[in-house]
Amino acid sequence: LNNDLVKRFIRPSISKVTLFMLLIKKLSGSIKTYINYKSINNTFLNNRYLLLLTKETLNTIYKVK
């Protein structure tokens, strides 16, 4: 890794979110990418609105205009 850093093929990340990623060489010679999204999913907030509330919210917005 240090050699690739010196050659600027890779660079250190300054992101607050980390991601586990593997590049695996297949028997056919192609490369398969494996990405673990669990760390990103734990960082972001989930949308917790129900669909029924969305319709009511849109109706309220249009009434205000």
Side-chain angles (χ1 to χ4, degrees), residues 20-24 31-35:
F20 181 71
M21 180 175 153
L22 288 175
L23 299 174
I24 307 294
I31 295 177
K32 175 73 176 175
T33 305
Y34 291 98
I35 300 174

Side-chain angles (χ1 to χ4, degrees), residues 39-50:
S39 61
I40 292 178
N41 290 339
N42 291 336
T43 303
F44 294 105
L45 297 175
N46 293 329
N47 185 357
R48 300 194 188 275
Y49 295 107
L50 299 174

Side-chain angles (χ1 to χ4, degrees), residues 46-62:
N46 293 329
N47 185 357
R48 300 194 188 275
Y49 295 107
L50 299 174
L51 291 176
L52 297 173
L53 292 177
T54 304
K55 184 175 181 180
E56 293 173 3
T57 304
L58 289 174
N59 287 337
T60 305
I61 290 171
Y62 285 119

